[in-house]
Amino acid sequence: MIGLGMLKRIVRKRSRLLGLTLVLITGCTVGVCWHLASNPFPIDKLEALHASPALTDAKGHTLSRALTIDEQWRLPVPLEDISPWLRKATVAVEDERFADHHGVDFVSVGRASLQNLLAGRVVSGASTLDMQLCRMLDPRPRTFGAKLSEAARAWQADDWLTKEEVFEAYLNLAPYGGNLQGAEAASLRYFGKSADELSLPEAALLAGIPQSPARLRPDRFPEKAKKRRNKVLDRM
């Protein structure tokens, strides 16, 4: 049985944690607002990205492809040409409230702040697909300031792009191991098929890779990739 003194200590501790969490959320909100004016969404970088050059025959069939100038395999395709399974799996594991927030998910920010406080270290993030897209377009060291900048830019992303365009850009730029950038390049490399042909298990496996591309690529670490795939399926 919990004594009255112990109960009071638990309540005080929880109250302090709640107070610190609210302070963190408020600080993040103020920081995001401060960064808005000086960190516009990098639409110019998104528009400047090039696809891997391709050589086709007279009927439009691809004969060969080459790396982009920045040595990436990047094969952008329209959102409707990406398997619905991959779209569902990506949202489930990366940003379950993607359709409802405006670039920054303050519910996830609060939850992640509380989890990190309780653990005494960073165990959870709160990056939305919009924020991850901003990071892909303008990589920088993972600092708190960079996080605020990503949040500010993500907040503006919905002013430049529709949700469908944000999602399409993410799926065409996400890292899937090595120099594979985007779902189409990854699908062709790992499964020998286009992204619109992915089955549910294949889509779940791909959706899990961007969290840690070097550690989860299935051609090198199949067991880790399989474990992550199963987690994605559970989240779905």
Side-chain angles (χ1 to χ4, degrees):
M1 181 179 294
I2 299 177
L4 182 59
M6 181 179 294
L7 182 60
K8 287 182 178 179
R9 287 195 295 272
I10 293 174
V11 171
R12 283 198 298 269
K13 183 178 180 181
R14 293 290 176 86
S15 298
R16 286 196 297 269
L17 287 172
L18 179 60
L20 286 171
T21 300
L22 291 174
V23 169
L24 279 173
I25 294 174
T26 302
C28 288
T29 304
V30 172
V32 167
C33 293
W34 184 81
H35 274 272
L36 280 172
S38 58
N39 288 274
F41 177 74
I43 189 68
D44 55 331
K45 293 186 178 182
L46 179 60
E47 294 173 342
L49 289 171
H50 297 289
S52 296
L55 178 65
T56 60
D57 62 19
K59 294 183 179 180
H61 299 137
T62 301
L63 300 177
S64 66
R65 295 184 176 89
L67 293 170
T68 61
I69 192 171
D70 54 343
E71 299 187 339
Q72 299 292 310
W73 291 111
R74 188 184 301 127
L75 308 170
V77 293
L79 186 61
E80 57 266 25
D81 288 345
I82 296 175
S83 167
W85 287 125
L86 181 55
R87 286 180 262 162
K88 292 176 184 292
T90 299
V91 169
V93 77
E94 293 289 348
D95 189 356
E96 61 185 356
R97 277 179 291 277
F98 173 69
D100 301 318
H101 63 66
H102 192 73
V104 180
D105 185 354
F106 290 103
V107 174
S108 291
V109 170
R111 181 181 61 197
S113 299
L114 184 58
Q115 289 174 341
N116 295 337
L117 280 172
L118 291 173
R121 58 188 177 88
V122 177
V123 296
S124 178
S127 290
T128 62
L129 292 179
D130 312 65
M131 291 171 65
Q132 293 181 54
L133 174 61
C134 293
R135 186 186 311 142
M136 288 183 245
L137 292 172
D138 188 17
R140 58 180 71 183
R142 303 293 292 276
T143 63
F144 184 67
K147 194 81 169 180
L148 285 178
S149 177
E150 290 167 8
R153 288 178 164 184
W155 189 264
Q156 299 172 78
D158 284 0
D159 294 329
W160 286 96
L161 305 169
T162 65
K163 278 293 188 181
E164 290 75 17
E165 289 171 334
V166 169
F167 199 15
E168 180 179 298
Y170 172 88
L171 288 172
N172 280 312
L173 292 175
Y176 289 98
N179 59 352
L180 297 173
Q181 199 170 65
E184 181 73 1
S187 183
L188 288 171
R189 171 64 180 83
Y190 295 134
F191 303 116
K193 62 175 69 173
S194 294
D196 63 344
E197 301 174 311
L198 291 169
S199 65
L200 171 56
E202 292 166 345
L205 188 144
L206 282 193
I209 297 175
Q211 183 199 50
S212 182
R215 185 175 62 89
L216 296 172
R217 51 185 297 180
D219 56 342
R220 293 189 178 180
F221 306 102
E223 289 305 314
K224 290 181 179 179
K226 182 179 178 180
K227 184 177 180 180
R228 175 67 174 167
R229 180 205 66 187
N230 292 341
K231 181 177 181 179
V232 174
L233 289 170
D234 287 341
R235 291 293 296 271
M236 292 177 73

